[in-house]
Amino acid sequence: MTLRQSARADGPSSEPKLALGRTTSVPALVAKIIFLGLMLGLAVATVPALISMRSWMMLSILIVTVAAAFAIYTTRRCVPAKYLFPGTFFLVLFLLVPVLYTIQISTTNFGDGTRNSKSDAVSSIVAASVVRDDSRPTYTMSVAVPEGSRADDYVLLLVDRSSEATYKGTSDGLSALASSQVTMEKGRITAAEGYRILTVQQVNSAGDAITGMSVPVDSVKGVAIYPSGISSAYTGTENLVYDSAADTITDRSTRNAYSPKMVNGRYLFVDSQGKAVSQQSWLSSVGFANYTTLFVNPSIRGQLLTTSLWTLFFAVFSVAGTFLAGLLIALLFDEPRMMGRKVYRSLMVIPYAVPTFIGFLIWSTFFNKDFGLVNQITGLHLDWFGNASLAKIAVCTANLWAGIPYMFLISTGALQSLPKDVVEAARVDGAGPLRLFFQIKMPLLLVSVAPLLVSSFAFNFNNYNAIALMTKGGPFSSDGSLFGGTDILISGIYRLAFGGSGARFGLAAAVSVLLFLVTALMAIIQFGYTRKLEEVI
């Protein structure tokens, strides 16, 4: 008898059994299977949409994420990664992906008039040149798709309104359709052999794909049939024709040829004299042109520099002003001999408890020129929001009111956490109130509040609410400036991206990237000084 046979005969069975791991339970295993199944299902459902949108970056992130999840959670190894993966995933999704997407947008001319592809732009330009020919037939129209073909393989089933002849129209041309093959009601085809008629809802959903169709009748003269609405079509003539081989648009009447050329950050079809056939452009990569515009264009460069200096001043003043005021009040209320300290501290928190949205709106009414509280109390008749300097004073005042309670709270907490023995030892050594504060309390206080001051600076550097709710960035000059008198960088970026004069997402993304880099650099410098302060203490 061999050793293996003896073990089988005398000892417990050595056959493999189902193992869930040392800490895995059946419910946990089921939950893991459900989680991975849902993740895989969502990924499979999302991939076609990402491919159709040509969002290759998001597709790559999705594939890497799903592969990493299966690699981590289907093995007994990588135990630390099982806990780190969720946090890392959401960090990448909500922080890294937006940053990368913003950088990508900053290298394009994305904006109003440049949202679509070049082929869509060409189709739009050519379609806009169509001239309706009333001497030719008009048609009632039904939209269909051949049975067994793609859902977007549209065919126009047409009925001549004068002769009631039936036709089939595609991008290849117009062909007759025997009356025996169709069923008509009220002059419109409602059924056809080999075709499935689309409903009104389906035609509306198809949208531009159908309205952009044309059925050539005479390609030499540019005569074609075009849809008009969802149930009719007309015959028209294209005045412009696109040559894909030469990448030119030619005017049939004047024989002028227009080629694509970059004009002010947008591609337009222009002739040899620089005249554009249309202002319709398309989405394209412009490299670092947006960044170059910010630093080369004298007008934009000057506005950006002025706005950057005001943004820096606004952030520094807001942090320094609120901290000093909050600290002085906290020192006042820290005096043990003061009566009613708890009541006063509670009252100081009230502005912090009021929602910022409401607080800034109330302050905007205080500075109203006609019935504002400030003008009534002081007897002045200043147009606070009509002058850039006065509007900045109003914004800074309101922001101080909103920020002082927060600084008061953190200063009070820091003062109460100071080691009592150090303070008492300094007093025994003969330190007076000023020396005690500046040489003992203040350095210890800064160790605690310095990181909060850094975060407060970053917040005020991007404090969009204060500007939007108080002045909306105004006052604005009449010379078409990109930034208003009180705009900080973040509010100016918003206006560039969503402004009424035309969205310029690419340029706004370039400013956003610069703002991100500046904020990150300043935060690194500030945290470096914070660490040095801790080393000294």
Side-chain angles (χ1 to χ4, degrees):
M1 180 181 296
T2 64
L3 181 61
R4 185 173 183 179
Q5 291 172 336
S6 175
R8 286 182 177 178
D10 301 332
S13 173
S14 61
E15 293 296 325
K17 298 179 180 180
L18 176 63
L20 299 177
R22 288 188 292 271
T23 59
T24 306
S25 62
V26 173
L29 181 61
V30 173
K32 182 189 297 184
I33 294 173
I34 294 174
F35 167 73
L36 293 177
L38 288 174
M39 176 177 283
L40 182 61
L42 290 174
V44 171
T46 307
V47 165
L50 294 178
I51 293 177
S52 64
M53 294 186 298
R54 297 183 178 180
S55 183
W56 310 121
M57 183 178 70
M58 293 299 298
L59 180 62
S60 302
I61 293 175
L62 177 65
I63 294 174
V64 171
T65 301
V66 174
F70 273 82
I72 292 172
Y73 290 106
T74 56
T75 179
R76 296 180 181 178
R77 301 178 180 178
C78 306
V79 175
K82 297 179 190 294
Y83 299 95
L84 294 174
F85 178 79
T88 304
F89 168 73
F90 287 110
L91 176 67
V92 171
L93 181 64
F94 295 116
L95 181 62
L96 184 59
V97 170
V99 171
L100 294 177
Y101 185 70
T102 303
I103 294 174
Q104 178 188 357
I105 292 297
S106 71
T107 60
T108 68
N109 63 349
F110 186 34
D112 283 349
T114 57
R115 300 171 187 257
N116 298 323
S117 64
K118 183 179 180 180
S119 59
D120 292 336
V122 170
S123 299
S124 178
I125 293 172
V126 172
S129 71
V130 173
V131 178
R132 183 165 181 159
D133 190 348
D134 294 330
S135 64
R136 293 179 179 268
T138 58
Y139 306 86
T140 58
M141 180 185 73
S142 299
V143 183
V145 292
E147 294 181 352
S149 67
R150 301 194 319 269
D152 59 348
D153 191 11
Y154 302 114
V155 175
L156 304 183
L157 302 181
L158 306 169
V159 179
D160 190 322
R161 286 176 174 165
S162 58
S163 65
E164 294 190 351
T166 55
Y167 301 93
K168 176 186 71 174
T170 65
S171 57
D172 295 327
L174 187 68
S175 58
L177 198 62
S179 58
S180 60
Q181 296 179 290
V182 300
T183 301
M184 294 178 55
E185 292 183 8
K186 298 180 180 181
R188 185 171 179 270
I189 297 176
T190 56
E193 293 182 5
Y195 295 94
R196 176 172 60 84
I197 307 295
L198 299 186
T199 64
V200 174
Q201 292 78 6
Q202 290 172 328
V203 174
N204 283 328
S205 300
D208 296 338
I210 293 176
T211 57
M213 291 182 62
S214 62
V215 180
V217 176
D218 187 344
S219 58
V220 176
K221 296 182 179 181
V223 181
I225 299 172
Y226 299 91
S228 176
I230 61 174
S231 60
S232 62
Y234 67 92
T235 306
T237 303
E238 292 179 347
N239 191 42
L240 300 176
V241 59
Y242 176 67
D243 185 349
S244 57
D247 194 18
T248 58
I249 292 179
T250 303
D251 190 321
R252 293 180 186 272
S253 58
T254 64
R255 310 307 301 172
N256 285 343
Y258 300 85
S259 303
K261 182 180 179 181
M262 178 72 73
V263 179
N264 295 327
R266 305 171 65 204
Y267 278 103
L268 299 175
F269 280 94
V270 299
D271 60 12
S272 57
Q273 305 299 321
K275 181 180 179 181
V277 68
S278 170
Q279 293 301 313
Q280 181 69 43
S281 186
W282 58 91
L283 179 64
S284 59
S285 175
V286 296
F288 294 98
N290 288 320
Y291 297 94
T292 304
T293 300
L294 295 176
F295 295 104
V296 173
N297 187 302
S299 176
I300 296 179
R301 183 179 65 230
Q303 295 177 51
L304 184 63
L305 178 61
T306 303
T307 304
S308 299
L309 293 176
W310 156 239
T311 304
L312 181 61
F313 171 82
F314 175 73
V316 172
F317 176 81
S318 297
V319 175
T322 55
F323 176 65
L324 291 177
L327 178 59
L328 290 175
I329 298 173
L331 287 170
L332 178 64
F333 292 164
D334 194 51
E335 175 57 45
R337 295 171 295 178
M338 187 176 191
M339 302 294 293
R341 290 189 302 162
K342 293 183 179 179
V343 176
Y344 296 143
R345 284 172 175 171
S346 301
L347 293 175
M348 279 298 303
V349 179
I350 290 178
Y352 190 57
V354 175
T356 305
F357 184 87
I358 298 175
F360 282 122
L361 288 179
I362 293 174
W363 272 98
S364 66
T365 63
F366 287 170
F367 287 100
N368 185 274
K369 175 184 177 182
D370 300 318
F371 53 84
L373 184 63
V374 175
N375 279 351
Q376 290 181 3
I377 292 177
T378 60
L380 301 174
H381 299 281
L382 299 177
D383 185 6
W384 289 95
F385 298 135
N387 179 274
S389 300
L390 294 177
K392 290 176 180 178
I393 294 174
V395 170
C396 289
T397 303
N399 202 43
L400 283 178
W401 177 87
I404 286 176
Y406 169 73
M407 291 299 182
F408 164 73
L409 288 176
I410 65 172
S411 298
T412 300
L415 286 172
Q416 292 179 348
S417 65
L418 294 179
K420 303 298 182 182
D421 54 345
V422 176
V423 176
E424 291 299 328
R427 285 175 178 169
V428 171
D429 289 341
L434 292 178
R435 184 178 179 186
L436 181 65
F437 173 74
F438 285 105
Q439 295 189 6
I440 303 298
K441 289 186 177 182
M442 192 63 176
L444 292 173
L445 189 71
L446 288 177
V447 174
S448 301
V449 302
L452 297 176
L453 296 179
V454 173
S455 64
S456 179
F457 176 84
F459 171 79
N460 283 286
F461 201 79
N462 297 280
N463 193 351
Y464 174 79
N465 290 339
I467 305 301
L469 296 174
M470 285 289 293
T471 64
K472 298 181 177 58
F476 300 97
S477 61
S478 58
D479 58 358
S481 299
L482 297 178
F483 301 98
T486 56
D487 263 329
I488 59 175
L489 288 174
I490 189 65
S491 61
I493 290 170
Y494 180 86
R495 183 167 296 103
L496 280 175
F498 305 102
S501 60
R504 304 175 67 178
F505 295 108
L507 187 62
V511 181
S512 298
V513 172
L514 294 178
L515 179 60
F516 169 77
L517 295 176
V518 171
T519 306
L521 178 61
M522 297 181 72
I524 292 172
I525 295 173
Q526 289 167 342
F527 277 117
Y529 280 113
T530 302
R531 285 193 296 269
K532 291 181 179 179
L533 181 62
E534 293 176 354
E535 292 173 359
V536 171
I537 298 301

